[in-house]
Amino acid sequence: MASVIENVPTDYLIAVGSPWLQRMKNDVLEPIAAKGLKHPVLADIRSGRLPREKFARMMANLQWVITGFPEYVAALAARCPKNDHVVKAALLENAYIERDHPFLLAQVVNALGGPGDAILEGPDWVSFEPDPYIHALRIIIEGYVYHRPWVEGMAATAVGVETVTPAVFGSLGKAAIEHYGLSEEDAEWFRIHGGEVEMEHGNDGLRVLDKYVGADDINTQKACTAGASLVSDAIGVGIFDMVARW
């Protein structure tokens, strides 16, 4: 099995052509990833200082959201413009890949002593009590996926989640093994989310925005930037802020 990635740079994001999207990349996505990487809670995890029960609780809260991602991506595939077969196929493939991720994250949570299996099995409101912050984050993501225009859903999820996750969460696998006793098999979720496939999912989201948002459509540009900013900050920084409040 491949080793868990130790350091994940933020330069995996593609160069984009549209000026508005370049501003999003430069002024939102990259700074949020950099801020997340410098967060004191993340530093505590890397050094093994964060108590094991808090690390387990953090990952369990994340799992409570991630367990819905296969269906979220599938819903975005269903809402994709019917004749854009390339993008629709890519989203369906992504949803198929995502089907394993809740189980891999449950493996992490179980290994840390948390309720990974219970979160998988549900029901949502009986098997686990999420932090109010995580409850709000899940409702935001579901609102974008199911109720906002499709391209905004892509901005919030494919861009907001998948551009920052490789940098921030991919960096934790080594610590999970060295300081918290996970095996490499237990830590597979971190390796995948710090790897090239996850990076490419985020870049695919950027390509979709570049394709579908016109140069003169200022309102949609701002709406997509707002969605990507809200969710990327929630994933890349807000989760660690949540842990700092415990």
Side-chain angles (χ1 to χ4, degrees):
M1 180 177 293
S3 296
V4 173
I5 291 177
E6 179 175 353
N7 292 302
V8 183
T10 57
D11 61 0
Y12 51 82
L13 298 179
I14 59 171
V16 292
S18 301
W20 76 273
L21 203 53
Q22 187 66 44
R23 288 192 296 273
M24 180 200 288
K25 178 173 174 279
N26 291 346
D27 300 340
V28 176
L29 302 175
E30 291 179 341
I32 285 172
K35 185 177 179 182
L37 285 168
K38 295 176 182 177
H39 199 286
V41 169
L42 190 145
D44 283 347
I45 296 170
R46 282 178 165 170
S47 66
R49 292 192 303 268
L50 187 75
R52 185 185 188 87
E53 60 272 18
K54 287 190 176 182
F55 190 21
R57 183 179 169 190
M58 182 186 86
M59 298 309 296
N61 272 276
L62 184 62
Q63 185 195 342
W64 194 76
V65 176
I66 292 298
T67 298
F69 256 76
E71 64 192 81
Y72 300 159
V73 179
L76 289 169
R79 297 182 66 199
C80 175
K82 182 178 181 180
N83 299 114
D84 192 340
H85 304 295
V86 172
V87 171
K88 190 177 285 286
L91 286 168
L92 288 169
E93 181 179 1
N94 188 352
Y96 184 73
I97 292 170
E98 289 283 347
R99 83 198 189 283
D100 286 334
H101 292 183
F103 298 93
L104 293 174
L105 188 47
Q107 199 167 265
V108 172
V109 175
N110 288 335
L112 289 169
D117 288 339
I119 294 170
L120 280 179
E121 293 167 8
D124 284 350
W125 297 101
V126 174
S127 61
F128 182 69
E129 184 176 345
D131 189 278
Y133 174 83
I134 289 294
H135 178 201
L137 174 58
R138 176 166 156 179
I139 296 303
I140 288 168
I141 291 173
E142 291 185 357
Y144 271 107
V145 167
Y146 296 113
H147 301 295
R148 294 300 299 165
W150 173 75
V151 74
E152 291 183 34
M154 291 295 296
T157 54
V159 175
V161 175
E162 299 201 88
T163 57
V164 301
T165 295
V168 177
F169 285 95
S171 70
L172 297 181
K174 184 172 183 286
I177 292 170
E178 291 188 353
H179 300 302
Y180 296 93
L182 274 68
S183 67
E184 289 216 5
E185 182 178 1
D186 291 335
E188 181 76 356
W189 185 87
F190 294 107
R191 187 191 67 79
I192 289 173
H193 285 79
E196 292 181 3
V197 171
E198 202 71 13
M199 293 174 185
E200 194 58 19
H201 287 166
N203 284 327
D204 284 344
L206 291 172
R207 294 184 184 102
V208 166
L209 298 191
D210 210 10
K211 177 178 182 179
Y212 276 96
V213 181
D216 59 347
D217 190 351
I218 305 301
N219 191 63
T220 302
Q221 292 173 14
K222 289 189 174 182
C224 288
T225 300
S229 176
L230 178 65
V231 177
S232 62
D233 185 70
I235 292 289
V237 178
I239 286 177
F240 301 116
D241 287 343
M242 172 189 74
V243 176
R245 293 191 293 269
W246 291 345

